[in-house]
Amino acid sequence: MVQIEGITIESVDEASVLLVTLLNFCTCIFAAFFVRTFYLHRAYSISGKKHIGSILPILSCVVFMVIVVVKSSLALSLGLIGALSIVRFRTPVKEPEDLAYLFLAIAIGIGYGAGYLALTSMLLVVLLGVIYFWLSNRCESDAEFNLIVDWQDSETPFTAINLALESCLQEVQLIRLERGPEVNRAILLILISSSPPMDDLLKNLREVDPSVSVTFFETQTNL
């Protein structure tokens, strides 16, 4: 340990390491929130995106803290392996896209926690650019909604219901179909590019079956 004018080299090194760690941590937080905003606006997930999006910054920061603590200690690294063997998500991730963004949040925490600030930032920008320009073809004016169609006549085929929907909507994707002796239900994901043509849609469905009733809501609405 060398002392120069009352300041030791060891204390200077500790201060510089602390400043670099704080810089990496602030950058990690900013990048994690940027990924959260990107996920909420560009992801195709039909589940509650706000629930997944809210944990992305937390996950990145937690991983950052873990990497900073264990990267200089073999004993702590081995202890981390044992801890991770008993920790897992209790709520299953239903869509692969959500899992990909969770892994991206973990990668952000690992990259910045290991001190690769420039490399992690550059790769993150490139990856999000690829997703934005090539892997996401959604127009900003498009909107996703959930549509629930109920009808009573069991003799009415779903193909007729589907044709009535496709005549008014831009895109229709079946999520679940339930058939019963009294009530039949179809849960669909629909894509529209303008104001919802609900009057025309309901009119076409009533022509197929007068007992039809519909429920219409945004995919991000928590019911």
Side-chain angles (χ1 to χ4, degrees), residues 39-199:
Y39 167 75
L40 293 177
H41 287 83
R42 304 300 297 183
Y44 285 94
S45 173
I46 61 176
S47 59
K49 291 196 291 186
K50 290 185 178 180
H51 295 163
I52 298 294
S54 63
I55 70 170
L56 294 179
I58 301 175
L59 182 60
S60 294
C61 293
V62 170
V63 173
F64 179 94
M65 294 172 60
V66 171
I67 296 300
V68 168
V69 171
V70 305
K71 68 179 181 179
S72 60
S73 174
L74 178 60
L76 291 176
S77 301
L78 295 176
L80 176 64
I81 296 175
L84 292 179
S85 65
I86 61 174
V87 175
R88 62 178 180 176
F89 283 104
R90 293 296 179 180
T91 301
V93 178
K94 298 180 180 180
E95 301 190 34
E97 186 179 23
D98 294 339
L99 189 60
Y101 277 95
L102 288 174
F103 272 110
L104 179 57
I106 294 174
I108 290 173
I110 293 175
Y112 289 117
Y116 297 102
L117 191 150
L119 180 62
T120 304
S121 301
M122 181 183 65
L123 292 178
L124 178 62
V125 170
V126 171
L127 177 59
L128 294 182
V130 170
I131 295 174
Y132 185 88
F133 290 106
W134 285 282
L135 301 181
S136 176
N137 58 3
R138 174 183 298 172
C139 299
E140 293 297 332
S141 58
D142 293 344
E144 287 183 346
F145 293 87
N146 286 335
L147 181 66
I148 301 177
V149 181
D150 296 307
W151 70 97
Q152 297 180 359
D153 190 357
S154 59
E155 299 297 328
T156 302
F158 172 72
T159 53
I161 299 292
N162 193 46
L163 289 175
L165 295 174
E166 291 180 345
S167 63
C168 298
L169 300 174
Q170 179 179 350
E171 183 178 337
V172 180
Q173 178 181 349
L174 179 64
I175 299 177
R176 185 169 64 187
L177 177 63
E178 302 175 0
R179 301 300 299 265
E182 298 181 357
V183 178
N184 304 277
R185 169 171 293 185
I187 302 176
L188 308 108
L189 175 68
I190 62 175
L191 182 66
I192 57 176
S193 57
S194 59
S195 58
M198 295 308 298
D199 292 335

Side-chain angles (χ1 to χ4, degrees), residues 10-26 64 68:
E10 182 179 355
S11 63
V12 172
D13 291 340
E14 290 179 355
S16 61
V17 170
L18 179 60
L19 289 176
V20 171
T21 302
L22 290 176
L23 176 62
N24 290 337
F25 185 64
C26 292
F64 179 94
V68 168

